[in-house]
Structure formats: C-alpha cells, structure tokens
Amino acid sequence: MLTQEKLNFLKDKAKEIRQEIIIMITRAASGHVGGSMSAVEILVSLYHHIMKHDSQNPKWTERDRFIMGKGHATPVYYAVLADCGYIPKEDLLGFRRPGSYLQGHPKQYTEKGIEVSTGTLGLSLSTTCGMALSAKLKGEKQNYFCLCGDGEIQEGQIWEAAMFANKYKLNNIIAFVDRNYMQSDGYSEDIMPLDPLEPKWEAFGWEVFSIDGHDFEQIINTVEKAMLSDKPVMIVARTIKGKGVSFMENDNTWHGSPPNLETAMRALGELV
Amino acid sequence: MKKYTFTEKKDTRSGFGAGMQILGQTSPNVVALCADLVGSLKLDAFIKENPERFIQCGIAEANMIGISAGLTIGGKIPFATTFANFGSGRVYDQIRQSVAYSNKNVKICVSHAGLTLGEDGATHQILEDLGMMKMLPGMTVINPCDYNQTKAATIAIADYEGPVYLRFGRPVIPVFTDADQKFEIGKAWTVNEGTDVSIFATGHLVWEAIQAGEILAEKGISAEIINIHTIKPFDTEAVLTSIKKTGCAVSAEEHQINGGLGDSIAQVLVQQYYVPMEYVGVNDSFGESGTPTQLMEKYGLTAADIVEKALKAIRRKNS
C-alpha cells in the first residue's frame, strides 16, 4: 500500500520527469513527446516503488527487468534511468546525438540499465517471453515488466508472443499497454481498431486488468495483484498522449515533433 | 591433386541433427527452438534425450527469434531452427534488432536453403539469405559443405560467443570430409592445391567444384579448390594467397550472384589484388519446382558450369 508521503513523492517525481522529457527533446530538436508523457506514471511507479533493482549494481542477477517495447518513448525511459542513477544526468545532453549511447531508440547497455535493444515495434514482448522463460528454467523468481504501445500491438508478432506466454505459463510477466488511443497517423480506432482490447488478451489466456494509467494507486495496487497471478498479466493502462501539458494532450502534433524553445517554455510553465 | 571419394550420401541437415545430439550431451546450456519443423531439422534425437531443453514455438518464427534473444540472458545458448527462408527473410528485422544489434548469443540454424529444397518451389527456395545475413554487423555466417562438416560446425558454434547464421540443406549429397574434423570458424579450407585457376565454393557447390577440378585436370588445367565454409568473417588471406598464385578466380554458390560469396571475393579483388573472376550462382532469378538435380542443372550450378566459367576466367587472364 501507498502512504500519502510516498504518493506525494511519486507525483513530484512525475513532474520532474515530464520537465526532463520536454528539455531533452527540445535540446535534441528531435524525439517523441506525446508517447513519453503518457507513460510517465507507469515508469515512475515501476522504478520508484515496484521493481527490485539497484543502480549501483546494474547486473544484479535477481533484479526485476523492464523492457521498453515502445522504444520511441526513450525520453521518459532515459529520464527515469537518470533519476535512478543509472545514467549520469550530464549524459542526457547527448540524447539523439552522434557518439552518445542514448540513441533515439534504446540500445542495450546493461550497465546503464538498458536491458535490451528495442524500438522497431512488436519485438519486445517476444524478448520478454524469452527472458521470462529463461528465469523459469533456472527457477529464478524475478519479474519481467514490458511496456507496449497501443499502436505497437497492431504488430502480429505481439500475438505470437501472447500465445507463447500462455503456453509456457509465464506468470512472471507483467505487461502494460500504454492505451493512449493515438499513433503516428492519428486515432488508433481509425487506423486499426483495437477495441475491445481486454477480451483479446483474455482470449489468449492472459489475466487482464484495466486501469487509469496516470493513477499511481491504481498502477501499484494492480501490479501487486498481478504478482499473485498464475497467468501472464496484461494491464491495459488508459492514458492521455501528451499528458501534463494542456496544449499537448491528445494532440497528435506532438507524436514525433519537438517543441521549439518558446513552446517548450510554455510547456515547462505548466509543469512547475 | 588429392582424389576425393565417398562411400555414402547424406543430407547436411542430418549433420546438424547429429551435432545437436552431441551438444545435448556435452553442453547443458544449449537449448533448441523450432517453429513446427522438428522432423525436417532432424532434431528428434536431441528432443528425445533432452525434452526439457526443447522449446516448440509453433508457426511463429518472428516470436521464436525474440524468444531466443531473451533466453540468452541467463547463459542459455539458443539454437533457433527452421527453414532458411523463414529463418532469414521472414524475420530479418527481428534478427537485425533483437539478435545482431543486441549482440545476442543466438544460433540461427536453417535447413532447406537454396534451389535444392526442390519441389516446393520458389516460395521456399531462399537464394538471398547469405547476402542478407553477411550484411548484418557482427553476424557470423557459415555454410558447410557436407554432413561431417555441418556436424562439426554445429558443435563449434556452441563454443563461439556471438550471433551465428548456420545454413544447410535438404538433399543427400556425398560425404567426403573427415568424420572427426575440427571446425575452425572463419578459416577457409584448401581442398586441392592448383596453379591455373582458383575455384572458391561454398555449401553444396564444394563437391561440384571438386568434380570440376577433376574435369579440368583431364584438360591439363590445375585448379585450386577452396571451401569457403565461413562467409563471414571472410578469410581474405586465403583468397589473396590463392589468386596471387593462379591469377584468376571462380566463385560457386547456391545463392544469388548479387550479394553472395562471389561478391565477397570480388571486394577483395577490387580493393587489394585485381584478377579476372567469373561467378557461378543464380543470376537474378527466382527458382521453381523440380528435383534438386534438375534445378541445379537448369540454373547453372553444376560441375560442368564451374568448368565453363573456369575456362573463361583463364582465357581472360591470358588475353
């Protein structure tokens, strides 16, 4: 359970991470704001409350793993990893620049907390299944968290992995869909309808939870329940693309376009 | 010139199966994955003896590649198996991203490569896989020439740390290499020394090249036959040493001319030591249904075709 003090801490963290997202993308003049903002509470919950991990010992074998399926949301990923001490803050300056390990989409770098290269969509749930199966084969107990974009799960390979996880009873997987209903070309239900989404995962043998993906208490309480499941778990987290900055919310302009300096200042003004 | 003979014909995929059976006994971290083609990949013995180390993925190759990448984290050595078509072209992005870019210790082992898949036709006859795979940074690409060499290569790649694409085939072909050979990744094997022309062959074409060498010998021509079983890393030194001696070259592969073994040789020739060179391979065409023998003849991949190209290369050298 979450104390009021911890809840306030997490909310403050979310605000800081959102500021960092705007700054990173503005500085790089490149990057995906909207899908980073929608996933902030999920990543903050995982890294600051749920997952067992240690940035001073990034190769700790018993750590829980996070796999970033929607790899274009590197700004939120890197900002959280920096906040946890995996990535030196000054390295964020290199985001999307030549010579930096902070690639536009994640490149595996275990020492910096980046577990696996991801980002061409649809691949990560399979990799997560392989990792989770490896743990099962060795009798290890850690959890495997994967964050998929809702557009991402239009990829067929996701459903291959969904079948696989059910067959091999990979209840050490807790996955999220960042259900912000937006993708590059627009509204997901226009591009390729996903609803009714929860019954799809249930039909594939997963235990499914439906939550508000910006509500820390719902995220954390649901993951606690998910850890007791005897099935792989999919948490459909309803989110708002661009969450936290009024003029970015649900405006797909901010899928992959960076703000200019003036717009960034307006955005930061809303995040103080 | 050494005379190569054989007492039996076997398929290279059975060499893979035999290698896997040995790995089942010697390498506890080796696990096998398959996408509904266990019989074709000759995995029965491995699975029978190590049922807990086999992961049936169903007809979902993309997922199988991702599963393999994930399995490596705890030290497992996944051997992901299917037909060459489904283990390369179908899953190129998965291999590029989840395996090669992440430098995962995954062994992609594929059968039924090339025209000799036969009657199923062009849909399944991949002739582009060596090129696609060699282009991936960090990928090791191996195409052994007979049953024994495939078995030895299978065992050798388990000890090598890094991604590997191991390609073999469906039909029975002569077994002519040593049963107890040690396979050295990246080290070309000089099958026969010669002075007039260098014939660089890979996979099923190595036996054809040996036959071509005998036909050429009857014409008084001394051919050097080199088995390039490792397409990448490429044994540049072996190529240079041979062509400096013979002054002309022929490549022979069951693959598109574009982007295959021949082009790897041509790079060396252009950049380091120019000599005339001819290609034996499929010339910008898909295959079709037929027996392996019919197709190898129709598409120009026989000993006679190698002889013709060798004579042409020698003529160019002397003109």
Side-chain angles (χ1 to χ4, degrees):
Chain A
M1 288 306 288
L2 216 47
T3 61
Q4 189 59 43
E5 192 186 0
K6 186 68 187 273
L7 184 60
N8 291 340
F9 169 82
L10 294 173
K11 284 180 175 173
D12 287 346
K13 278 291 170 205
K15 204 170 272 183
E16 287 171 28
I17 297 300
R18 286 199 163 90
Q19 292 167 6
E20 192 61 67
I21 291 167
I22 297 291
I23 291 167
M24 281 172 75
I25 293 173
T26 307
R27 194 193 292 124
S30 172
H32 296 77
V33 186
S36 293
M37 299 293 248
S38 64
V40 169
E41 280 78 13
I42 296 169
L43 265 79
V44 168
S45 300
L46 288 171
Y47 277 91
H48 281 297
H49 191 80
I50 295 166
M51 285 176 22
K52 281 186 298 169
H53 68 109
D54 178 4
S55 62
Q56 299 310 303
N57 188 10
K59 292 189 163 181
W60 180 36
T61 52
E62 289 170 35
R63 70 190 184 280
D64 290 333
R65 263 68 161 200
F66 174 74
I67 295 97
M68 186 59 148
K70 44 178 293 183
H72 52 286
T74 39
V76 61
Y77 191 25
Y78 297 159
V80 169
L81 289 174
D83 188 53
C84 290
Y86 287 98
I87 295 172
K89 284 263 164 72
E90 60 269 25
D91 288 4
L92 295 178
L93 293 167
F95 174 58
R96 284 186 173 243
R97 297 225 167 119
S100 169
Y101 60 90
L102 298 178
Q103 292 287 296
H105 291 75
K107 181 178 187 193
Q108 182 184 329
Y109 194 167
T110 313
E111 291 81 354
K112 303 294 183 193
I114 304 168
E115 298 284 357
V116 63
S117 305
T118 54
T120 68
L121 297 176
L123 311 189
S124 55
L125 196 57
S126 298
T127 312
T128 306
C129 287
M131 295 164 89
L133 177 61
S134 170
K136 288 266 178 194
L137 291 172
K138 295 171 78 181
E140 295 174 347
K141 300 291 181 207
Q142 63 271 32
N143 295 296
Y144 290 82
F145 296 95
C146 180
L147 175 63
C148 298
D150 54 355
E152 178 179 21
I153 66 173
Q154 291 164 357
E155 292 276 7
Q157 188 182 341
I158 291 288
W159 303 95
E160 296 180 9
M163 284 186 279
F164 186 92
N166 172 53
K167 178 185 173 186
Y168 287 96
K169 305 281 173 249
L170 301 178
N171 65 337
N172 48 352
I173 294 178
I174 299 173
F176 291 85
V177 176
D178 184 357
R179 187 68 170 120
N180 60 31
Y181 278 91
M182 308 279 272
Q183 55 194 103
S184 185
D185 275 358
Y187 179 54
S188 67
E189 302 311 283
D190 290 336
I191 309 299
M192 185 53 66
L194 290 161
D195 280 335
L197 184 55
E198 287 83 351
K200 287 188 175 70
W201 288 97
E202 281 162 3
F204 276 72
W206 288 51
E207 183 157 359
V208 183
F209 297 93
S210 209
I211 65 165
D212 175 350
H214 297 305
D215 184 319
F216 283 112
E217 289 180 291
Q218 284 193 39
I219 295 168
I220 287 165
N221 293 340
T222 304
V223 170
E224 283 172 1
K225 270 186 260 175
M227 284 178 176
L228 304 174
S229 178
D230 57 359
K231 296 176 178 178
V233 171
M234 177 55 75
I235 299 172
V236 178
R238 310 238 162 188
T239 58
I240 294 169
K241 197 158 181 172
K243 171 77 175 175
V245 176
S246 59
F247 60 88
M248 289 179 167
E249 290 188 358
N250 288 322
D251 179 350
N252 222 32
T253 312
W254 304 107
H255 170 80
S257 303
N260 60 24
L261 195 58
E262 187 195 339
T263 314
M265 293 310 287
R266 273 174 60 210
L268 288 170
E270 294 191 19
L271 291 168
V272 289
Chain B
M1 188 178 79
K2 186 176 170 188
K3 180 88 178 154
Y4 287 86
T5 57
F6 65 94
T7 53
E8 59 179 339
K9 289 185 168 186
K10 285 186 182 178
D11 45 358
T12 49
R13 57 187 166 134
S14 286
F16 170 70
M20 286 301 289
Q21 188 175 10
I22 289 171
L23 290 175
Q25 293 151 11
T26 60
S27 301
N29 278 331
V30 167
V31 293
L33 300 90
C34 193
D36 198 33
L37 288 168
V38 162
S40 298
L41 268 293
K42 304 293 178 186
L43 283 171
D44 305 274
F46 179 90
I47 295 169
K48 189 169 176 224
E49 293 169 16
N50 313 277
E52 75 294 348
R53 286 160 59 192
F54 172 66
I55 298 150
Q56 172 61 266
C57 294
I59 309 170
E61 296 84 5
N63 186 49
M64 177 171 72
I65 298 299
I67 296 291
S68 301
L71 277 168
T72 58
I73 59 160
K76 296 284 179 216
I77 307 170
F79 280 61
T81 72
T82 180
F83 284 176
N85 190 31
F86 309 132
S88 60
R90 174 169 284 244
V91 291
Y92 196 57
D93 184 52
Q94 284 79 8
I95 294 172
R96 181 176 178 275
Q97 169 96 354
S98 302
V99 177
Y101 188 48
S102 303
N103 195 32
K104 295 291 191 192
N105 192 24
V106 172
K107 317 303 173 186
I108 300 158
C109 302
V110 296
S111 181
H112 291 56
L115 291 175
T116 52
L117 169 137
E119 294 82 349
D120 279 350
T123 53
H124 288 52
Q125 291 163 348
I126 194 147
L127 293 162
E128 302 83 21
D129 56 331
L130 295 178
M132 286 192 289
M133 289 300 144
K134 80 175 185 183
M135 280 196 290
L136 289 173
M139 181 65 75
T140 292
V141 182
I142 299 172
N143 185 34
C145 68
D146 74 348
Y147 172 95
N148 287 337
Q149 192 166 76
T150 308
K151 180 179 167 187
T154 303
I155 295 165
I157 62 174
D159 286 335
Y160 166 80
E161 175 82 24
V164 174
Y165 182 77
L166 177 66
R167 177 208 216 221
F168 38 90
R170 175 179 176 233
V172 293
I173 58 159
V175 181
F176 59 95
T177 69
D178 292 341
D180 57 352
Q181 68 191 281
K182 180 157 169 48
F183 187 87
E184 205 173 332
I185 295 170
K187 184 91 180 126
W189 169 43
T190 304
V191 180
N192 255 320
E193 293 192 7
T195 53
D196 297 330
V197 58
S198 303
I199 301 174
F200 302 101
T202 189
H204 290 148
L205 269 289
V206 175
W207 180 253
E208 297 300 320
I210 291 170
Q211 302 309 297
E214 293 184 4
I215 297 166
L216 288 164
E218 287 166 13
K219 299 177 190 289
I221 293 165
S222 164
E224 180 147 295
I225 315 293
I226 296 183
N227 170 14
I228 309 281
H229 51 63
T230 307
I231 305 295
K232 188 181 176 185
F234 193 61
D235 193 345
T236 304
E237 275 315 303
V239 171
L240 280 173
T241 305
S242 183
I243 58 171
K244 283 177 181 171
K245 181 169 60 170
T246 63
C248 64
V250 175
S251 62
E253 59 197 306
E254 188 182 351
H255 188 271
Q256 298 287 355
I257 285 173
N258 283 327
L261 165 66
D263 279 357
S264 291
I265 296 166
Q267 278 185 22
V268 178
L269 269 49
V270 168
Q271 291 182 323
Q272 301 196 45
Y273 191 88
Y274 176 74
V275 299
M277 175 187 158
E278 295 291 328
Y279 289 79
V280 171
V282 176
N283 189 11
D284 202 21
S285 161
F286 290 107
E288 64 184 290
S289 291
T291 66
T293 305
Q294 287 169 337
L295 295 173
M296 296 295 264
E297 285 173 3
K298 176 164 181 178
Y299 288 86
L301 304 182
T302 66
D305 298 295
I306 297 171
V307 168
E308 187 191 323
K309 292 295 173 70
L311 294 173
K312 191 174 173 193
I314 293 168
R315 277 200 305 276
R316 286 175 60 201
K317 174 176 69 169
N318 294 334
S319 68

